Amino acid sequence: DQQVKQNSPSLSVQEGRISILNCDYTNSMFDYFLWYKKYPAEGPTFLISISSIKDKNEDGRFTVFLNKSAKHLSLHIVPSQPGDSAVYFCAASERAGNNRKLIWGLGTSLAVNP
Amino acid sequence: DTGVSQDPRHKITKRGQNVTFRCDPISEHNRLYWYRQTLGQGPEFLTYFQNEAQLEKSRLLSDRFSAERPKGSFSTLEIQRTEQGDSAMYLCASSQGLAGGPTDTQYFGPGTRLTVL
């Protein structure tokens, strides 16, 4: 049972345009959401996060939007650059004692074409 | 600070052998996590330490797996009698563990790629 879903396995975008990556979740107890970027044979690199008390968080070219009623979040990258090409993972965590283990989606492979 | 480091980066072993991986977290991070990732999947939680205490283990962690964090700093993950199904990327992450706070970001190491022949 996939609690975090990334329904688009891949996305192709032209350099300079906006990339929008989507993520849906089913567990209403999730209170913290993160996006990670991953290159092959490397560990995930943290990009940006959002707490459930907010609906938007922005960091440079990256903005994450959270719609709690729809249980949906999205990552916007503007403008997209070829170096952004990687697999992007959405992850979520809930309060369960002190363990903030992350529950992950399957990832979306982003290709930014020059 | 050099971030989370893991050793070795790659390990090839024969079925039935034991292997041990090491993780050095970011200094002053008191929480340490192990995850496993197979091709086409997101990482899956294996186990979690708060300082030297192992507070949770996933059901994915069979009796052949053991993890330690003896002094609350580095951690080791040992797999005994390896099986081909153990082939995966083993990821370690650490976080500050802000008491009571949900915004506890985990930072990952480069991973150890295990191949069991």
Side-chain angles (χ1 to χ4, degrees):
Chain A
D1 179 31
Q2 199 76 17
Q3 296 187 68
V4 177
K5 301 176 185 178
Q6 293 178 258
N7 292 320
S8 297
S10 63
L11 175 67
S12 183
V13 171
Q14 209 61 28
E15 181 179 5
R17 299 293 192 106
I18 184 171
S19 294
I20 301 176
L21 296 101
N22 294 304
C23 178
D24 297 291
Y25 61 95
T26 57
N27 186 346
S28 58
M29 299 303 293
F30 287 147
D31 62 358
Y32 189 47
F33 304 88
L34 308 91
W35 285 94
Y36 287 85
K37 175 180 177 180
K38 190 176 184 301
Y39 295 113
E42 294 186 10
T45 300
F46 170 70
L47 275 176
I48 193 169
S49 62
I50 189 166
S51 164
S52 60
I53 62 173
K54 296 186 175 181
D55 55 20
K56 177 182 174 181
N57 188 26
E58 190 172 353
D59 183 1
R61 297 185 297 116
F62 302 93
T63 303
V64 56
F65 295 91
L66 176 62
N67 182 335
K68 282 194 299 182
S69 61
K71 294 191 177 68
H72 176 84
L73 64 155
S74 61
L75 174 68
H76 293 211
I77 307 174
V78 181
S80 302
Q81 300 173 354
D84 295 330
S85 298
V87 178
Y88 288 77
F89 286 94
C90 170
S93 72
E94 63 173 303
R95 178 178 291 282
N98 287 323
N99 185 357
R100 303 293 299 187
K101 66 183 178 186
L102 297 177
I103 308 300
W104 298 72
L106 297 183
T108 296
S109 179
L110 173 66
V112 179
N113 306 308
Chain B
D1 190 353
T2 57
V4 179
S5 61
Q6 291 187 246
D7 183 69
R9 293 291 307 273
H10 304 277
K11 180 70 178 178
I12 299 173
T13 190
K14 292 183 179 178
R15 189 165 46 115
Q17 297 295 304
N18 299 343
V19 294
T20 300
F21 310 141
R22 177 180 169 122
C23 171
D24 286 87
I26 294 171
S27 58
E28 300 169 0
H29 278 193
N30 55 43
R31 294 186 182 180
L32 188 146
Y33 298 80
W34 285 98
Y35 293 85
R36 179 172 68 188
Q37 185 176 22
T38 54
L39 199 62
Q41 302 293 316
E44 295 175 295
F45 169 78
L46 292 179
T47 191
Y48 153 67
F49 290 85
Q50 174 89 28
N51 299 312
E52 67 275 10
Q54 186 175 21
L55 298 184
E56 185 171 337
K57 292 170 60 173
S58 163
R59 281 172 288 182
L60 291 175
L61 220 61
S62 75
D63 291 343
R64 297 184 296 105
F65 288 72
S66 62
E68 294 183 344
R69 195 183 182 197
K71 297 181 180 178
S73 56
F74 73 91
S75 175
T76 58
L77 177 67
E78 180 183 15
I79 309 174
Q80 295 182 328
R81 304 181 303 283
T82 52
E83 301 173 357
Q84 288 183 325
D86 297 331
S87 296
M89 173 78 88
Y90 289 83
L91 295 164
C92 175
S94 70
S95 69
Q96 280 189 309
L98 299 170
T103 56
D104 188 33
T105 299
Q106 294 177 29
Y107 296 90
F108 283 79
T112 294
R113 167 73 64 189
L114 173 66
T115 302
V116 181
L117 302 176

